[in-house]
């Protein structure tokens, strides 16, 4: 198990290198001059040249990439923002907890409700509840986050005055973003739970359990759900990764200062160090979550545990 | 397991930054702005909203009230005989937020920093050639050449903030998160990109602020700002989109304040590139543009159609009473035929990615199609626009010029058309020695009548030469609760809210 984790952690190295290289190439090819954006259009050629020299932007691509990797590895330094002059690490340290809280809240809500709905749908297949839930699940997958977000704001903030429409400081401010961000995952988890449960419910050992007179709730929770969990966990893990990376839409609609917005603002102003930092963090988070999901498998499914030993 | 879940939920709800205590209405003035504030260092950015927030934390030697310059941190000043040295006598007993008393050293330090290495505001600070401390309360600022009221006025803009030397040195690169000024408010909390919370500074050297707290919150989406205003969680919002104006007007608690601005929307032509090197083509375009149409459709009437090269509010211009520029497609066609394009021509058209520019471009496209000019719109990311418009072979573009520190023509028109700015902000490659000479003379002269006459000559030349086709100047549109009083909304992008109170 430890060896398995170590091996997975080691894959972080090529992943990070790959992501940063790709990102460097993309930023390199993106038109727009950071010097001109920071110093403004009035800046003289001399001032621009001075800025580019100071930040190494006049160097060839490979030198810039090499320096970046060297500084990151040897000095654990991914640079300072061109605009705020703060270290990228502290910029991200401010924004990451926000995105994490947003994503964790959303995935928690999606998992809880998704599994409950999914189980009910599977147990009462083709009932009215099942049909209605499936229609909503379809709508949930099809509705973009920003659109749902605006609808929620219109209803709960503008008309009913129940909840604030933006920010992420107070509990009340967190409810709408969580709902908006979780809708797609909620729908997917509901559908996954339903289909996975339907498969299991028809197995012989469920029939055996029923035949021996076991209570229905115990059958559903202990026998069926535990066996249906693996695909559900997988989808939850994938969804969580998506939420972390894709929270930018919710962050924009609800004016939440998370990593996604940090990255988008930085891209707009060509603040390269911040873009690099934000993307690396999101990539690392994605990989780590996948690792966590793999570890969860072995905890849930004893068969896998023996295989890794 | 259950308890764990409950704890997890509560941790998430309350975890991040604790609960903000509820504040009584009337104590806090909240302003909704459209840009995320990341740093509060006046020297590292030219963004107007950063300077807006800073105007409440920092102060400058002089203040601007309407068209006049008034004492602030300087008690008095005079222009010395060489016409380029301004001697300021500092107000005594002014305290910084950290308790330090302002001295001439702080003033010298601030201006040196503003024009030193790494400063992003050099477009404004570079006119300063020297700062000299005479004694503890006297400072002389020198410009390289005589700039009369243009330079003095620009000292009222937050780029010229007086910072506390000790605080800047001790915080170093992180100064942007811990600004120390002399203003009516000091920083309580900066949540990067989300909000800036200020609180009243009780040792302020003049009348203290009436509200206890002043908060700037960022809402990138214009619709979100309107909604926040309607739901009452902010008291003022900036940049109300024209489509939301009627909604705010219908609300009995809210009102719209529209102030004419000096943001100069124009079509920029590249005088180095055919056919725009032909003056008849430029005149034809000038006649083919339906300005009232754009004002009505894109700005719902909240804009002033251009009557000359600069908005009427720019100092030393007198376009308020001028007639509208003619709209005459037939004459435009005739001019095009005379220029050798009886069937018109095709051209690219650069449009920065922003909804107002895109909407204007669509109308311009149809206006110019009427006279035979076929524009192909090429939308450019805003971050890339300055770069594209610098290239010597660029296509015509639509843009605005709107963030000078004052409405003085020295900042409102020089950068656009003086030949020394070619390759920077003179994107038309316009070079007219006569205009250059007039501009240089105009800024140096101190007599108001003489000054007006010189600039009049500049406007007349530009009306004929047409390096840029002036379009309009929109109003700055604010939405506010009716109970908020005391705020004078500005024509520039920087409005001072420090005198606001509720009634």
């Amino acid at each position: 198990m430890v060896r398995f984790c170590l091996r997975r952690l080691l894959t972080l190295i090529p992943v990070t290198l790959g992501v940063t290289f790709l990102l460097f190439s993309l930023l390199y090819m993106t038109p727009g001059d950071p010097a001109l954006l920071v110093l403004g259009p009035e800046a003289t050629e001399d001032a621009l040249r001075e800025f580019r020299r100071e930040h190494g932007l006049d160097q060839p691509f490979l030198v810039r990439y090499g320096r970046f990797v060297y500084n990151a590895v040897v000095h654990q330094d991914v640079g300072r923002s061109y605009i705020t002059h703060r270290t990228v690490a502290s910029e991200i340290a401010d924004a990451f907890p926000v995105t994490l809280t947003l994503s964790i809240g959303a995935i928690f809500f999606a998992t809880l409700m998704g599994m409950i709905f999914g189980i009910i749908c599977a147990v009462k297949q083709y009932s009215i509840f099942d049909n209605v839930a499936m229609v909503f699940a379809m709508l949930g997958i099809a509705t973009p986050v920003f659109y749902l977000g605006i609808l929620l704001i219109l209803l709960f903030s503008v008309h009913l005055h129940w909840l604030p429409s933006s920010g992420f400081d107070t509990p009340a401010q967190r409810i709408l973003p969580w709902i908006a961000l979780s809708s797609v995952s909620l729908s997917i988890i509901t559908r996954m739970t339903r289909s996975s449960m339907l498969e299991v419910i028809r197995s012989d050992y469920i029939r055996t359990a029923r035949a021996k007179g076991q209570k229905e709730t115990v059958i559903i929770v202990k026998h069926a759900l535990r066996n249906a969990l693996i695909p559900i966990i997988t989808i939850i893990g994938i969804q969580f990764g998506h939420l972390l990376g894709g929270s930018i839409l919710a962050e924009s609609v609800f004016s939440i200062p998370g990593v996604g917005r940090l990255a988008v603002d930085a891209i707009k102003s060509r603040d390269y160090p911040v873009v690099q930092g934000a993307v690396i963090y999101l990539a690392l988070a994605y990989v780590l979550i996948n690792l966590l999901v793999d570890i969860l498998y072995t905890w849930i499914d004893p068969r896998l545990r023996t295989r890794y030993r | 397991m259950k308890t764990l879940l409950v704890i997890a939920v509560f941790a998430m709800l309350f975890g991040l930054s604790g609960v903000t205590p509820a504040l009584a209405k009337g104590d806090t003035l909240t302003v909704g702005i459209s840009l995320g504030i990341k740093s509060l260092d006046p020297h590292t950015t030219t963004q107007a909203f950063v300077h807006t927030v800073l105007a409440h934390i920092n102060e400058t030697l002089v203040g601007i009230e309407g068209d006049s310059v008034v004492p602030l941190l300087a008690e008095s000043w005079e222009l010395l005989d060489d016409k380029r040295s301004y001697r300021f006598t500092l107000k005594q007993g002014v305290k910084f937020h950290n308790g330090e008393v302002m001295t001439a050293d702080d003033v010298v330090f601030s201006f040196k920093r503003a024009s030193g290495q790494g400063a992003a505001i050099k477009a404004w600070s570079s006119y300063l050639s020297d700062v000299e401390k005479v004694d503890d309360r006297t400072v002389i600022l020198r410009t390289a050449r005589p700039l009369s009221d243009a330079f003095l006025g620009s000292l009222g803009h937050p780029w010229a903030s007086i910072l506390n030397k000790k605080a800047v040195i001790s915080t170093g690169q992180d100064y942007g998160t811990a600004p120390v000024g002399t203003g009516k408010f000091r920083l309580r909390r900066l949540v990067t990109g989300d909000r800036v919370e200020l609180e009243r500074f009780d040792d302020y050297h003049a009348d203290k602020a009436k509200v206890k707290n002043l908060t700037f919150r960022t809402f990138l989406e214009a619709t979100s700002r309107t909604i926040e205003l309607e739901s009452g969680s902010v008291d003022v919002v900036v940049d109300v989109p024209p489509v939301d104006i009627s909604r705010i007007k219908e609300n009995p608690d809210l009102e719209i304040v529209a102030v004419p601005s000096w943001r100069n929307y124009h079509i920029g032509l590249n005088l180095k590139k055919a056919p725009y090197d032909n003056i008849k083509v430029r005149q034809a375009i000038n006649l083919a543009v339906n300005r009232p149409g754009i004002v009505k459709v894109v700005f719902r009437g909240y804009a002033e159609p251009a009557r000359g090269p600069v908005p009427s509010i720019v100092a030393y211009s007198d376009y308020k009473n001028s007639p509208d520029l003619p709209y005459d497609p037939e004459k435009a066609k005739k001019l095009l035929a005379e220029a050798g394009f009886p069937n018109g021509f095709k051209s690219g058209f650069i449009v920065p990615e922003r909804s107002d520019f895109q909407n204007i471009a669509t109308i311009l496209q149809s206006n110019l199609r009427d006279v035979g000019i076929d524009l192909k719109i090429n939308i450019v990311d805003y971050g890339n626009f300055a770069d594209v418009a610098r290239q010597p072979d660029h296509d015509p573009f639509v843009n605005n010029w709107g963030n000078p520190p004052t409405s003085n023509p020295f900042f409102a028109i020089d950068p656009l058309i003086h030949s020394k700015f070619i390759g920077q902000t003179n994107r038309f490659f316009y070079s007219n020695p006569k205009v250059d000479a007039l501009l240089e003379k105009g800024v140096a002269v101190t007599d108001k009548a003489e000054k007006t006459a010189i600039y009049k000559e500049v406007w007349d030349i530009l009306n004929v030469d047409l390096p840029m086709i002036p379009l309009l100047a929109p109003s700055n549109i604010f939405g506010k609760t009716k109970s908020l009083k005391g705020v004078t909304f500005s024509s520039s992008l920087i409005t001072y809210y420090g005198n606001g109170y509720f009634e």
Side-chain angles (χ1 to χ4, degrees), chain A residues 31-32 36-37 41-43 45 48 50 80 84 86 94 158 165-166 169 171 174 255 257 261 265 270, chain B residues 12-14 16-17 38 117 123 173 177 189 192-194 217-220 227-228 381 383-384 390 424 427:
Chain A
L36 207 49
L37 275 156
E42 302 95 332
E45 268 313 319
L48 293 178
E50 184 193 302
R80 274 176 188 273
T84 64
R86 294 173 68 207
D94 280 353
V158 178
S165 69
S166 63
D169 259 359
R174 295 178 183 186
S255 295
R261 231 183 80 188
D265 285 355
R270 305 289 188 273
Chain B
M12 267 185 314
L13 278 169
F14 297 98
L16 207 68
S17 43
K38 306 209 156 149
Q117 215 205 347
Q173 293 261 45
T177 54
R189 192 163 78 118
T192 319
D194 180 49
R217 291 182 59 193
T218 302
F219 308 99
L220 299 180
I227 290 170
E228 289 294 321
D381 168 21
N384 192 20
R390 245 173 201 240
Q424 295 163 40
R427 292 155 174 160

Side-chain angles (χ1 to χ4, degrees), chain A residues 107-147:
Chain A
I107 200 69
F108 180 81
F109 182 73
T111 307
L112 190 76
M113 301 312 286
M115 284 178 60
I116 294 175
F117 288 154
I119 292 168
I120 301 178
C121 286
V123 174
K124 311 255 182 208
Q125 201 187 358
Y126 303 135
S127 67
I128 288 190
F129 183 88
D130 183 26
N131 288 330
V132 172
M134 282 305 103
V135 169
F136 270 97
M138 200 70 92
L139 281 175
I141 294 172
T143 314
V145 172
F146 59 89
Y147 182 65

Side-chain angles (χ1 to χ4, degrees), chain A residues 108-283:
Chain A
F108 180 81
F109 182 73
T111 307
L112 190 76
M113 301 312 286
M115 284 178 60
I116 294 175
F117 288 154
I119 292 168
I120 301 178
C121 286
V123 174
K124 311 255 182 208
Q125 201 187 358
Y126 303 135
S127 67
I128 288 190
F129 183 88
D130 183 26
N131 288 330
V132 172
M134 282 305 103
V135 169
F136 270 97
M138 200 70 92
L139 281 175
I141 294 172
T143 314
V145 172
F146 59 89
Y147 182 65
L148 181 66
I150 288 173
L151 289 185
L152 288 173
I153 290 175
L154 279 178
L155 179 62
F156 290 104
S157 309
V158 178
H159 289 291
L160 298 174
H161 292 289
W162 286 356
L163 293 167
S165 69
S166 63
F168 205 63
D169 259 359
T170 61
Q173 282 174 330
R174 295 178 183 186
I175 294 173
L176 289 184
W178 277 339
I179 295 177
L181 187 61
S182 66
S183 74
V184 172
S185 308
L186 170 59
S187 310
I188 291 176
I189 293 170
T190 307
R191 291 172 62 91
M192 200 63 190
T193 310
R194 178 180 180 268
S195 60
S196 181
M197 283 291 285
L198 281 176
E199 234 169 76
V200 172
I201 271 177
R202 301 212 172 94
S203 337
D204 291 341
Y205 60 85
I206 298 290
R207 203 173 307 130
T208 311
R210 287 220 174 93
K212 75 176 182 187
Q214 184 61 272
K215 270 198 289 183
E216 190 66 20
T217 43
V218 177
I219 295 174
I220 299 296
V221 176
K222 266 206 160 158
H223 297 264
L225 184 60
R226 283 191 73 174
N227 280 292
L229 264 183
I230 290 283
I232 302 175
I233 297 276
T234 312
I235 212 79
I236 291 173
I238 293 172
Q239 284 304 315
F240 189 46
H242 279 300
L243 290 185
L244 267 181
S247 59
I248 170 61
L249 291 175
E251 286 175 16
S252 287
V253 173
F254 294 102
S255 295
I256 298 169
V259 179
R261 231 183 80 188
L262 184 73
V264 169
D265 285 355
I267 290 168
K268 277 191 191 155
S269 50
R270 305 289 188 273
D271 194 350
Y272 292 165
V274 176
V275 182
Q276 287 152 8
V279 173
I280 291 171
Y281 268 75
L282 289 177

Side-chain angles (χ1 to χ4, degrees), chain B residues 39-353:
Chain B
S39 162
L40 288 168
D41 186 332
H43 299 152
T44 57
T45 182
T46 53
Q47 284 171 329
F49 283 118
V50 176
H51 284 144
T52 301
V53 175
L54 278 170
H56 301 83
I57 300 174
N58 298 326
E59 282 176 320
T60 44
L61 291 176
V62 297
I64 306 288
E65 259 172 34
D67 286 339
S68 47
V69 178
V70 296
L72 195 55
L73 290 179
E75 232 166 43
S76 62
W77 56 87
E78 65 177 318
L79 182 56
L80 302 183
D81 289 338
D82 65 353
K83 298 288 176 212
R84 52 185 202 89
S85 302
Y86 301 77
R87 184 168 61 202
F88 291 92
T89 307
L90 304 179
K91 186 170 175 179
Q92 275 183 316
V94 174
K95 269 191 185 163
F96 282 105
H97 299 156
N98 60 0
E100 298 260 313
V101 174
M102 179 188 70
T103 66
D105 288 326
D106 293 311
V107 178
V108 172
F109 173 80
S110 301
F111 282 105
K112 289 228 159 109
R113 186 173 186 267
S115 40
Q117 215 205 347
I121 44 138
K122 283 203 184 126
W124 304 327
S125 63
S126 61
Y127 296 105
L128 186 70
S129 65
D130 182 34
V131 207
E132 185 196 327
K133 172 184 168 179
V134 179
D135 57 50
D136 263 351
R137 53 176 309 212
T138 316
V139 174
I140 292 180
L141 299 189
R142 250 180 227 106
T143 54
R145 59 193 175 97
L147 297 177
S148 72
D149 61 340
F151 182 70
L152 185 66
S154 87
L155 293 179
H157 183 280
W159 79 260
S161 293
I162 304 305
L163 314 178
N164 180 236
K165 183 178 175 181
K166 202 173 133 192
V168 176
I169 290 174
S170 68
T171 42
Q173 293 261 45
D174 291 327
Y175 178 72
T177 54
V180 173
T182 59
K184 282 190 184 180
F185 294 88
R186 65 172 165 206
L187 181 69
R188 181 180 333 119
R189 192 163 78 118
L190 165 69
V191 184
T192 319
D194 180 49
R195 63 172 67 203
V196 187
E197 292 176 5
L198 308 179
E199 62 189 359
R200 182 166 62 203
F201 176 47
D202 285 322
D203 277 341
Y204 185 65
H205 58 87
D207 292 343
K208 279 184 269 181
K210 289 184 180 140
V211 289
K212 248 191 198 154
N213 306 289
L214 176 62
T215 300
F216 291 88
R217 291 182 59 193
T218 302
F219 308 99
L220 299 180
E221 299 291 322
T223 324
S224 308
R225 286 197 297 279
T226 308
I227 290 170
E228 289 294 321
L229 181 69
E230 285 174 318
S231 68
S233 55
V234 302
D235 306 299
V236 201
V237 293
V238 302
D239 286 349
V240 176
V243 285
D244 282 351
I245 288 174
S246 56
R247 242 173 78 193
I248 292 178
K249 276 189 162 169
E250 279 162 23
N251 190 317
D253 300 327
L254 306 177
E255 61 188 350
I256 288 282
V257 179
V259 192
S261 82
W262 60 57
R263 280 181 287 150
N264 183 358
Y265 280 60
H266 56 263
I267 304 175
L269 299 173
N270 181 349
L271 269 52
K272 266 194 180 166
K273 186 173 177 160
Y276 304 105
D277 53 350
N278 187 329
I279 194 163
K280 286 198 169 152
V281 170
R282 303 202 294 271
Q283 287 167 342
I285 296 175
N286 195 34
L287 287 169
V289 171
N290 181 359
R291 294 177 177 87
I294 299 174
V295 167
K296 196 174 155 207
V297 175
V298 182
F299 296 92
R300 311 252 165 152
Y302 285 87
E304 171 196 63
R307 300 192 175 92
V310 288
S312 65
I313 193 173
V314 166
Y316 310 111
S317 83
D318 193 22
Y319 282 107
K320 229 165 240 148
N321 305 316
S322 303
D324 286 349
L325 292 174
Y327 168 56
D328 192 344
E330 288 312 312
K331 198 170 166 200
K333 272 187 211 162
K334 233 174 83 193
L335 280 169
L336 278 178
E338 284 171 24
F341 299 97
N343 300 316
F345 57 87
K346 282 184 184 189
S347 169
F349 191 50
I350 301 167
V351 180
E353 191 183 6

Side-chain angles (χ1 to χ4, degrees), chain B residues 324-433:
Chain B
D324 286 349
L325 292 174
Y327 168 56
D328 192 344
E330 288 312 312
K331 198 170 166 200
K333 272 187 211 162
K334 233 174 83 193
L335 280 169
L336 278 178
E338 284 171 24
F341 299 97
N343 300 316
F345 57 87
K346 282 184 184 189
S347 169
F349 191 50
I350 301 167
V351 180
E353 191 183 6
R354 211 172 80 182
S355 61
D356 53 349
F357 290 138
Q358 282 164 269
N359 292 338
I360 291 173
T362 313
I363 297 178
L364 289 176
Q365 195 180 31
S366 111
N367 283 171
L368 293 185
R369 193 181 292 128
D370 291 344
V371 299
I373 302 174
D374 190 8
L375 293 183
K376 190 175 170 292
I377 289 180
N378 172 18
I379 292 176
V380 178
D381 168 21
Y382 213 90
N384 192 20
F385 173 74
D387 215 1
V388 170
R390 245 173 201 240
Q391 307 308 321
D393 61 339
H394 73 73
D395 282 326
F397 60 81
V398 59
N399 192 35
N400 72 356
W401 181 255
N403 189 21
T406 79
S407 75
N408 193 291
F410 182 65
F411 294 101
I413 194 73
D414 273 40
L416 292 174
I417 56 158
H418 194 295
S419 64
K420 75 172 181 198
F421 289 103
I422 286 178
Q424 295 163 40
T425 44
N426 181 341
R427 292 155 174 160
F428 326 119
F429 300 95
Y430 178 67
S431 171
N432 184 339

